[in-house]
């Protein structure tokens, strides 16, 4: 029973990582860059949701939608101002810019909301008892898992079936050839940032509902872990991000329970390193034969 | 016949490298025009500049009476320009059908099916393999896919960059047959080739490029007979 409890909390934690990792992986797949500011967009999402509930007294579900809208705009603006001018710059320059954007967002949050942690009111409360109360699943956990699955299925359908989604895949393979098809690559990249950032807002709300504390650095650790999850599953792969996120959450939760709370993070990263040694492309990273 | 593509004084640089040095050429409606030249002559650079992926520092590129030298590459497809790039550059992880759909990206959804039927009629092999991942096609099939994909936008001018590259002689023949068929069916074609023999025998007119300059131009048949061309490109 105890094990099941840890497993459930691992799955819901992993679902949050998976949602963040999906954003990371989409942006990486299409823009070929690691957007290290992605984690901080989660934090902004959390604060927006907090403010709309706390100061404006809006219902939680509406606060989520507002957070998504604000983060979508933020993501597109960040891409347009910071990354777009560097489209043909070396990837190191882009990486450093992304780290800069990350610090900028954290410090802006510090300036606006201060350093004192805010207490976030979870979007849903309570829990569902199972097996006559021996086990209980919080509604936040349930919601997180359900939302994660919906997002993953939605993205799979979007990239597999819609014209825009296919255009994204085309851009991710070959931007020059995509332009020769008439695809507006800049617009496609903005669109990817929009989707990734909206997902970050959802992840922010869920993360804060899970650990109801909000400060300017709230997004960094989940951001880094989700990045790890994306690499773990095979960066650029949507099912890979999902699987990587879930596994990471489970490993972390079980490591905390049975090994050591302090060491849990180290164990998570050690597993990543081992997986990458065995499978450099990640769990679901694929190798496509190329003919000349 | 009307000139549909008119390139004047094209100069293209890669940083300090001056790759195309003041090239001018024209393509008339209904023609097959070929640019031939050795490795590094500037053929690919010229095509990429016409399709907007690179920019010329001087001169003008006029397509269907409109100056397109500053139009972004992705907008040129709806002007009626399509390019089969060097090395094919099909989307290897997408299916054959998805590649063709991408070719029709600028078309309304109702135009996709008829265009696809036409491409499948031209390349029955692609129809058989339409659910297959493009990266698993043979080299010849990939070339057909690249051509089919470009035809999906129903272009006024089709530009082909070394379609015979890396193909067995029998497939080269087949590709050139297809080029002639397409032309007979009304397509105007700008063909870049290293295989001068084949290119000049199907082309109405040809331009010989040498290190970024046009050194010779004339009807395909005449260039085939030209002593200098024979010596440099036809191996005789
Ligand atoms: N991306 C690039 N950066 C720098 N120089 C380049 C680049 N691409 C091409 N060049 C140079 O420009 C010149 C023309 O190249 P281009 O690819 O247009 O030749 P080509 O005629 O198509 O040759 P090939 O028949 O081998 O395809 C060459 O000297 C080449 O080295
Ligand atoms: Mg070339």
């Amino acid at each position: 029973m105890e094990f099941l409890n840890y497993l459930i909390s691992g799955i819901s934690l992993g679902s949050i990582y998976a949602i963040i990792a999906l954003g990371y992986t989409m942006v990486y797949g299409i823009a070929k860059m690691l957007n290290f500011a992605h984690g901080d967009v989660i934090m902004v999402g959390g604060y927006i949701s907090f403010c709309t509930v706390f100061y404006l007294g809006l219902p939680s579900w509406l606060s989520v939608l507002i957070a998504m809208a604000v983060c979508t705009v933020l993501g597109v603006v960040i891409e347009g101002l910071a990354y777009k001018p560097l489209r043909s710059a070396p990837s190191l320059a882009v990486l450093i810019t992304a780290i800069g954007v990350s610090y900028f967002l954290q410090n802006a949050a510090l300036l606006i909301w201060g350093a004192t942690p805010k207490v976030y009111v979870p979007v849903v409360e309570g829990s569902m008892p199972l097996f006559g109360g021996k086990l209980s699943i919080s509604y936040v956990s349930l919601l997180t898992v359900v939302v994660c699955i919906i997002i993953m299925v939605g993205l799979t359908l979007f990239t597999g079936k819609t014209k825009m989604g296919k255009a994204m895949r085309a851009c991710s393979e070959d931007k020059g050839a995509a332009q020769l098809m008439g695809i507006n690559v800049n617009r496609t990249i903005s669109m990817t940032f929009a989707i990734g950032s909206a997902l970050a807002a959802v992840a922010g709300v869920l993360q804060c509902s899970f650990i109801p504390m909000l400060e300017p650095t709230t997004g960094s650790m989940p951001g880094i872990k989700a990045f790890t999850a994306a690499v773990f599953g095979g960066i650029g792969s949507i099912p890979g991000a999902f699987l990587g996120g879930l596994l990471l959450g489970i490993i972390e939760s079980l490591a905390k329970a049975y090994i050591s709370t302090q060491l849990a993070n180290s164990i998570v990263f050690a597993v990543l390193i081992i997986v990458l040694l065995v499978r450099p492309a990640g769990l679901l990273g694929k190798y496509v034969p190329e003919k000349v | 016949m009307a000139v549909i593509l008119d390139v004047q004084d094209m100069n293209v640089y890669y940083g300090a490298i001056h790759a195309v040095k003041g090239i001018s050429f024209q393509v008339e409606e209904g023609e097959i025009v070929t640019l031939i030249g050795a490795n590094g002559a500037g053929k690919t650079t010229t095509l990429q500049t016409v399709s907007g992926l690179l920019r010329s520092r001087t001169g003008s590129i006029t397509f269907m009476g409109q100056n397109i030298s500053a139009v972004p590459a992705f907008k040129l497809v709806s002007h009626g320009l399509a390019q089969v790039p060097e090395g094919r550059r099909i989307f290897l992880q997408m299916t054959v059908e998805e590649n063709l759909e991408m070719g029709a990206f600028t078309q309304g959804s109702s135009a996709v099916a008829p265009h696809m039927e036409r491409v499948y009629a031209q390349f029955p092999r692609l129809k058989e393999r339409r659910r297959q991942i493009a990266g698993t096609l043979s080299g010849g099939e990939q070339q057909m896919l690249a051509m089919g994909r470009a035809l999906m936008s129903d272009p006024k001018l089709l530009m082909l960059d070394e379609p015979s590259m890396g193909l067995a002689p029998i497939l080269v023949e087949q590709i050139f047959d297809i080029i002639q068929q397409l032309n007979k069916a009304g397509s105007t074609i700008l063909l870049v080739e290293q295989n001068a023999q084949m290119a000049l025998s199907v082309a109405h007119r040809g331009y010989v490029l040498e290190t970024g300059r046009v050194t010779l131009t004339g009807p395909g048949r005449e260039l085939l007979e030209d002593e200098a061309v024979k010596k440099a490109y036809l191996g005789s």
Side-chain angles (χ1 to χ4, degrees), chain B residues 14-15 17-20 37-46 86 161-162 165 192 194 209:
Chain B
Y14 293 102
I17 300 169
H18 194 177
V20 168
N39 285 113
K43 307 179 297 291
T44 297
T45 307
T46 304
E86 185 174 61
D161 195 341
E162 299 204 36
M165 189 166 71
V192 156
Q194 278 201 47
L209 255 64

Side-chain angles (χ1 to χ4, degrees), chain B residues 89-110:
Chain B
R89 293 171 70 172
I90 53 171
F91 303 113
L92 295 171
Q93 303 184 32
M94 300 174 81
T95 64
V96 167
E97 193 147 287
E98 286 172 335
N99 267 275
L100 294 178
E101 284 169 21
M102 290 297 101
F105 186 79
T106 55
Q107 306 281 309
S109 52
S110 59

Side-chain angles (χ1 to χ4, degrees), chain B residues 136-191:
Chain B
T136 63
L137 295 176
S138 75
E141 290 162 350
Q142 291 194 359
Q143 185 59 49
M144 290 175 191
L145 177 57
M147 291 172 72
R149 185 180 68 171
L151 290 169
M152 286 295 290
S153 64
D154 199 13
K156 303 222 168 52
L157 175 65
L158 177 64
M159 304 195 288
L160 299 155
D161 195 341
E162 299 204 36
S164 73
M165 189 166 71
L167 299 185
I170 176 121
L171 276 174
V172 174
E173 297 262 355
Q174 210 182 330
I175 294 288
F176 278 92
D177 275 348
I178 292 168
I179 292 172
Q180 278 187 301
Q181 282 171 31
L182 290 173
N183 178 248
K184 293 223 172 72
S187 295
T188 307
I189 289 167
L190 176 57
L191 172 66

Side-chain angles (χ1 to χ4, degrees), chain A residues 1-4 6-7 252-261:
Chain A
M1 273 311 140
E2 198 185 44
F3 174 78
L4 270 184
Y6 292 127
L7 188 65
E252 183 182 330
S253 168
L254 295 183
K256 267 188 188 145
Y258 295 110
I259 306 175
S260 146
T261 314

Side-chain angles (χ1 to χ4, degrees), chain B residues 48-90:
Chain B
Q48 303 271 56
T49 309
V50 172
S51 48
L53 293 175
L54 296 169
R55 293 289 174 212
S56 172
R57 286 208 189 156
T58 54
S60 63
I61 305 169
T62 312
F63 181 62
M64 314 266 305
Q66 210 178 338
N67 185 351
I68 57 163
S69 46
V71 178
F74 76 89
K75 286 193 180 154
L76 287 175
V77 183
S78 17
H79 284 66
L81 206 57
Q83 188 188 341
V84 179
E86 185 174 61
R88 306 169 188 120
R89 293 171 70 172
I90 53 171

Side-chain angles (χ1 to χ4, degrees), chain A residues 255-256 259-267:
Chain A
K256 267 188 188 145
I259 306 175
S260 146
T261 314
Q262 280 92 25
L263 281 182
N265 284 342
S266 319
I267 291 169

